[in-house]
Amino acid sequence: MAAMTGLARGLAGLALALIVLLAPMAARAQSLIRDAEIEYALKRLTQPLAVAAGLSPQRLRVMVLQDSSLNAFVLDGQTIMVHSGLLLRLESAGELQAVIAHELAHIANGHITRRLANIRGAGSAAGMGLLMSLAVAATGNADAAAGLAMGSSSTAQRLLFAHTRAEESSADQAGARYMARAGISPQAMVDVLEMFRGQEALSETRQDPYVRTHPLHADRLRSVRGYASAYKGTAQPDAEADYWFARARGKLGAFLQSPRYTLRRAEKDKTAIGMMRRAVAWHRTPDAKRAMAELARLEAAQGGDPFVQELKGQILLESRQFGPAAQAYARAVRMAPNEPLILAGYGRALLALDRPGENRQALDALEKARARDPFDPRMLRDLAVAYARTGNNGMASVATAERYAIMGRMDTAGVHARRAEGLLPRGSPGWLRADDILAAAERSARK
């Protein structure tokens, strides 16, 4: 990152990483859920809709916020956020694709771009912090957003995420058209809206945030039924979409819902998805012996799948079996060498071994992960540890500064950036990255 403008564009473009410090899948705190398998599944479900909308599938990301309420919104011109509560409530791939199609229409129609113009225009650290506060506010966590640029969560949501009735109608119409072009029944959009029917009569504190940010009224529902009728007969069965929806929803539920509930629901499921769910549930119980038994069955059925190896690595790592965890992650990396979250997990497992050779390997894996996804605070924390263990304290400070900048803590980021500048050769790549962050921190302090 040779210049502040480049850093600002990157941070604005992937503003999803500004929400909160990323947590493991099993974490209870409200956070952005990062999981390679779930993100891959969501990308597969989004791709045909993006093509139908004339948008680039490679530039779009659908991410999951750990929040039990029902909501989805566009964070920026290429990021759609879906609450975990909504994803777990939806019953089919078509329903999830209906939500995604509607949000893609907001992007394609430019509804969010106008509101982001003032934030992005300055390309400033204050703008980055504002995106962070808005994203945190969208989770309903007012305490987390307090003191940031926009203040209360309700104000932030109304200013950025709330759409007008005209915008909602146009997004419905465009979304139904995208679904029909992709061979998906727009009836699923009717089913989603029926889920929220009647909520506008409730007090605002009792409404799901989707209703507050996506006005639902009788005319809108009537129109969506009309679109579904007009496109009747255009849908084609899509077993692949059903599979990836079940896989994403199954894994999310296994990590977020009660293990007893998961085990009861998955007890007779003989598929690989059922094995995965039971392995996670037994791991969370915790019952390591039964978790490993399910993993063994899953690996026998689907051992060539990188996400199976990643899950095995995660469970082993969290069970403090560091050597086998690193081996499982290594297999996952060989199968998916460009997946940053798998690379980051591999680096984390190698760091757990804490031996000179493994620390150097960890540094290599984490640098590759950063090159592909530089906005993962957990990866940056591990990268700082890897730099420190291999004797490069200057770059450890750079990685730490970048982590705090992504979290929106620009004052702390500035402290570490200044320390990095004192440790690195002036004009070196690391020094320039630190200088970018220091300039952003100083601008943020002035504002």
Side-chain angles (χ1 to χ4, degrees), residues 307-376:
F307 303 122
V308 170
Q309 296 300 328
E310 180 201 27
L311 177 62
K312 183 177 182 180
Q314 178 184 346
I315 289 177
L316 287 167
L317 181 60
E318 292 173 0
S319 301
R320 303 189 65 79
Q321 298 183 52
F322 303 141
Q327 292 170 9
Y329 272 117
R331 289 191 291 272
V333 168
R334 286 194 293 271
M335 296 172 190
N338 297 317
E339 172 51 59
L341 293 175
I342 292 179
L343 284 164
Y346 181 41
R348 194 168 302 120
L350 290 168
L351 285 176
L353 293 169
D354 196 10
R355 297 192 293 252
E358 280 74 9
N359 286 334
R360 288 191 294 271
Q361 291 179 50
L363 177 58
D364 179 65
L366 291 162
E367 285 183 329
K368 289 177 180 176
R370 184 196 173 281
R372 291 163 175 80
D373 183 357
F375 304 103
D376 180 344

Side-chain angles (χ1 to χ4, degrees), residues 34-41 251 307 310 339 341-342:
R34 297 302 308 272
D35 180 82
E37 182 175 3
I38 292 174
E39 291 182 17
Y40 180 83
K251 189 170 190 181
F307 303 122
E310 180 201 27
E339 172 51 59
L341 293 175
I342 292 179

Side-chain angles (χ1 to χ4, degrees), residues 20-220:
V20 283
L21 177 60
L22 306 186
M25 280 288 294
R28 296 296 183 184
Q30 215 161 25
S31 59
L32 178 65
I33 293 173
R34 297 302 308 272
D35 180 82
E37 182 175 3
I38 292 174
E39 291 182 17
Y40 180 83
L42 294 176
K43 184 176 285 291
R44 294 292 291 266
L45 292 167
T46 302
Q47 185 171 2
L49 295 165
V51 171
L55 299 171
S56 171
Q58 290 72 33
R59 293 179 59 83
L60 290 166
R61 302 181 80 173
V62 180
M63 312 299 289
V64 182
L65 278 174
Q66 184 177 336
D67 190 296
S68 60
S69 65
L70 312 185
N71 199 15
F73 56 91
V74 176
L75 182 59
D76 60 18
Q78 59 189 32
T79 309
I80 295 171
M81 310 301 296
V82 179
H83 282 201
S84 59
L86 179 60
L87 183 50
L88 292 173
R89 175 75 178 273
L90 298 174
E91 296 182 353
S92 69
E95 289 183 356
L96 177 55
Q97 288 174 308
V99 171
I100 293 170
H102 180 93
E103 301 304 332
L104 286 176
H106 283 309
I107 294 175
N109 293 344
H111 296 160
I112 200 70
T113 304
R114 294 187 295 272
R115 296 167 215 179
L116 288 171
N118 291 335
I119 301 173
R120 287 177 170 174
S124 66
M128 300 171 205
L130 176 54
L131 281 173
M132 174 192 167
S133 71
L134 291 169
V136 174
T139 70
N141 188 343
D143 291 339
L148 294 172
M150 293 299 295
S152 72
S153 62
S154 59
T155 301
Q157 287 189 41
R158 285 190 176 92
L159 287 175
L160 185 64
F161 300 118
H163 296 285
T164 66
R165 288 191 172 192
E167 287 176 344
E168 286 302 280
S169 296
S170 68
D172 288 337
Q173 185 172 5
R177 188 167 62 250
Y178 303 156
M179 293 178 74
R181 286 177 185 168
I184 305 164
S185 173
Q187 176 61 38
M189 186 177 289
V190 178
D191 297 338
V192 171
L193 293 185
E194 289 281 6
M195 185 193 312
F196 295 99
R197 189 178 182 185
Q199 282 220 352
E200 288 197 329
L202 302 176
S203 65
E204 186 170 302
T205 57
R206 296 176 60 198
Q207 292 172 349
D208 274 298
Y210 189 88
V211 176
R212 297 197 296 271
T213 57
H214 298 70
L216 179 63
H217 50 93
D219 290 341
R220 182 184 169 201

